[in-house]
Amino acid sequence: MGDALTNEDWFARARRVIPGGVDSPVRSFAAVGGTPYTVVRGEGPYVWDAEGRRYVDLVQSYGAVILGHGHRAVTAALSEAIVAGTTFGAPTPGEVLLAEALTAAVAGCEQVRLVSSGTEAAMSALRVARGYTGRDRIVKFDGCYHGHADALLAGGGSGLSTLGLPGSAGVPAAAVAHTLVVPYNVVPELDDQVACVVVEPVAANMGLVPPAPGFLQGLRRACDEAGALLVFDEVITGFRVGSGGASAAYDVTPDLWCFGKVIGGGLPMGAFGGRRDVLAVLAPTGPVYQAGTLSGNPLATAAGRAVLEHLAPGDYLALAERAARFALRLADAIGGAGLPVRVPVLGPLVGLFLSEHEVTDYASARVAVSEGRYPAFFSAMLERGVALAPGPYEVLFPGLAHSDEVLDTVVDVAAEAAAAAASALTGRGRP
Ligand SMILES: *Cc1c(COP(=O)(O)O)cnc(C)c1O
């Protein structure tokens, strides 16, 4: 039945019953134009759409997948777990084992509580920080994404430090009245009203923007001096830049961590954790309420554990080497075809700005993106069987299933796609 429907058919049906046709806005292709492909299957580095077309998938569920789609380790663990029941609302061994794996891997993270998304993890970490310090103010960085909790959906004004403006309709000014938004890569001044500073230690939601030398260390020092907590949102970097995440990679230990994506093995999962004395404020031992019917879900913990057990230290090194080689070759291919390009890379994370503008924060990322080349390049890649994220602020997620051969194919396709995009853009007077 489904086989006969085209992507267009599915999207038309979706739009009737799902707002905008999608369950998360970026999937709608609003930023790049055209009709989203409806995925019916994935395997390793590939996905197939409703029309039977295969794409090299560099989205990988925005980083939730690291072993590739449908990996045996995950499907076997899920098959085993599912016959024992899917949720109980009682403690399970699986959540203990996953919490043990997370705390063993991340130095300084003594305890974790499991939730069902990165949004929940960040929202809960904030509440803990406020409950622990007795302070209301939070500091976030412009262009960092921490999910869609009200207090974190705040935008900054033109690169200046500003008290947050609601970043979305439906967020009352009061909900962001205690949120200070400051530019990334600059250590802000903190006072004794600040409960916490929350940061993506490697920013990967404004394209890829690595931390400037000393930035994370500076945040640690500023927080210590102000008596504020430092929160690392490692929803992307956790178990991707290495088993110890960015905190180990940069040797900066926050007070609280947020995890998500990789740790759920492709199932809905998040976690927040940190120092034991900080987390003691959580109910039932302390006064900060936080809860979840499906938290620590047995399927999600089984999938997450399978991924973490499968990842060996050598895998992270191999992935970083592959990504570094890929980034260089991708930049050459795109630049060689006449499109301005920067391909930042950090460990396994690869960014893509179709601009020569240097990007160090959200203001400069916006300038690079405003040059407007991404949609044409994205479409040219998709036509040729490579799926990038349908938005210019996302990063590429080559994973362990993306062999050098697969990535070489992407590079070849990118050379052609860049040439096609360059001529299309020149035709519109915008090379
Ligand atoms: C994806 C993401 C989130 C939100 O996670 P969801 O599971 O989508 O709610 C939070 N922080 C960062 C850094 C993310 O990349």
Side-chain angles (χ1 to χ4, degrees):
M1 177 192 89
D3 294 342
L5 296 186
T6 63
N7 293 320
E8 192 56 67
D9 294 334
W10 274 118
F11 196 50
R13 273 173 73 168
R15 277 195 305 260
R16 281 195 286 275
V17 288
I18 301 172
V22 289
D23 285 320
S24 200
V26 69
R27 299 179 196 168
S28 69
F29 277 33
V32 290
T35 302
Y37 54 95
T38 292
V39 174
V40 294
R41 187 167 82 81
E43 191 182 311
Y46 302 112
V47 292
W48 283 262
D49 72 10
E51 299 168 17
R53 296 197 62 204
R54 188 187 82 171
Y55 306 89
V56 176
D57 177 33
L58 285 162
V59 182
Q60 298 289 314
S61 196
Y62 295 89
V65 177
I66 192 167
L67 302 183
H69 297 298
H71 194 280
R72 261 298 290 159
V74 176
T75 56
L78 281 171
S79 310
E80 197 184 308
I82 203 163
V83 293
T86 54
T87 181
F88 307 108
T92 62
E95 66 191 352
V96 180
L97 294 170
L98 182 64
E100 285 175 353
L102 296 175
T103 52
V106 181
C109 187
E110 297 175 327
Q111 289 189 317
V112 290
R113 183 167 278 179
L114 304 181
V115 292
S116 298
S117 69
T119 294
E120 257 188 281
M123 182 184 87
S124 306
L126 283 195
R127 190 175 303 146
V128 165
R130 284 168 158 167
Y132 178 82
T133 57
R135 302 173 178 181
D136 289 338
R137 184 164 289 183
I138 60 178
V139 174
K140 86 172 279 285
F141 295 90
D142 203 15
C144 282
Y145 180 65
H146 307 291
H148 62 91
D150 278 1
L152 289 164
L153 271 190
S158 63
L160 297 169
S161 304
T162 51
L163 267 179
L165 306 168
S168 160
V171 174
V176 293
H178 302 291
T179 306
L180 189 71
V181 182
V182 297
Y184 193 72
N185 269 331
V186 179
V187 177
E189 285 196 21
L190 305 179
D191 61 25
D192 62 6
Q193 308 212 50
V194 176
C196 68
V197 173
V198 57
V199 66
E200 284 183 80
V202 177
N205 283 287
M206 48 173 143
L208 182 66
V209 183
F215 174 56
L216 299 175
Q217 289 81 356
L219 293 182
R220 179 67 277 177
R221 215 172 310 120
C223 284
D224 288 342
E225 282 166 16
L229 299 186
L230 179 59
V231 184
F232 274 8
D233 181 346
E234 298 226 37
V235 170
I236 282 183
T237 50
F239 297 89
R240 184 168 284 274
V241 302
S243 62
S247 59
Y250 289 95
D251 197 20
V252 175
T253 307
D255 303 290
L256 289 167
W257 281 259
C258 306
F259 299 105
K261 299 195 169 119
V262 170
I263 67 159
L267 274 83
M269 164 73 79
F272 62 100
R275 282 181 10 227
R276 197 179 301 276
D277 67 304
V278 174
L279 294 172
V281 300
L282 274 173
T285 47
V288 174
Y289 186 71
Q290 185 279 332
T293 301
L294 294 175
S295 291
N297 176 264
L299 294 185
T301 56
R305 275 167 49 220
V307 170
L308 300 194
E309 277 166 21
H310 191 273
L311 285 166
D315 288 336
Y316 292 110
L317 291 174
L319 206 46
E321 273 172 25
R322 227 182 271 169
R325 175 175 180 272
F326 172 56
L328 278 177
R329 301 199 62 222
L330 188 63
D332 278 352
I334 297 172
L339 278 190
V341 66
R342 280 179 183 261
V343 185
V345 60
L346 196 140
L349 295 169
V350 178
L352 176 61
F353 292 109
L354 296 178
S355 168
E356 265 151 24
H357 201 75
E358 194 189 355
V359 175
T360 56
D361 60 10
Y362 191 44
S364 46
R366 272 200 312 253
V367 171
V369 165
S370 72
E371 293 173 15
R373 299 184 185 91
Y374 190 78
F377 181 68
F378 168 86
S379 303
M381 291 292 277
L382 195 68
E383 274 166 30
R384 291 166 178 78
V386 176
L388 306 174
Y393 291 105
E394 313 296 336
V395 302
L396 313 183
F397 288 103
L400 286 167
H402 296 80
S403 62
D404 281 329
E405 292 68 37
V406 170
L407 294 175
D408 285 349
T409 309
V410 172
V411 168
D412 292 343
V413 167
E416 273 180 43
S423 68
L425 291 166
T426 307
R428 273 186 260 154
R430 200 176 47 173

